[in-house]
């Protein structure tokens, strides 16, 4: 998947990224890359 994803988060939220390898290949070419990650959290009043 590529592109922009926007998810509303609150202070104290936990965000988890998980990658699971399938059995389609064992050539070492399976990977996951997360880059340019930014979080905007609303200020607590």
């Amino acid at each position: 998947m590529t592109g922009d994803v926007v998810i509303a988060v609150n202070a104290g939220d936990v965000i988890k990224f998980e990658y699971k390898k399938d059995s389609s290949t064992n050539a070492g070419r399976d990977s996951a890359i997360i880059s340019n990650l930014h979080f905007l959290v609303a200020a607590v009043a």
Side-chain angles (χ1 to χ4, degrees), residues 6-15 37-45:
V6 177
I7 300 170
V9 296
N10 296 305
D13 285 354
V14 175
I15 299 168
L37 186 62
H38 303 274
F39 295 100
L40 299 175
V41 180
V44 177

Side-chain angles (χ1 to χ4, degrees):
M1 177 179 159
T2 59
D4 296 333
V5 176
V6 177
I7 300 170
V9 296
N10 296 305
D13 285 354
V14 175
I15 299 168
K16 177 180 177 181
F17 297 91
E18 185 173 301
Y19 170 79
K20 291 185 180 182
K21 183 182 174 350
D22 63 20
S23 61
S24 64
T25 183
N26 288 326
R29 296 181 182 247
D30 286 350
S31 64
I33 298 171
I34 298 172
S35 61
N36 297 321
L37 186 62
H38 303 274
F39 295 100
L40 299 175
V41 180
V44 177

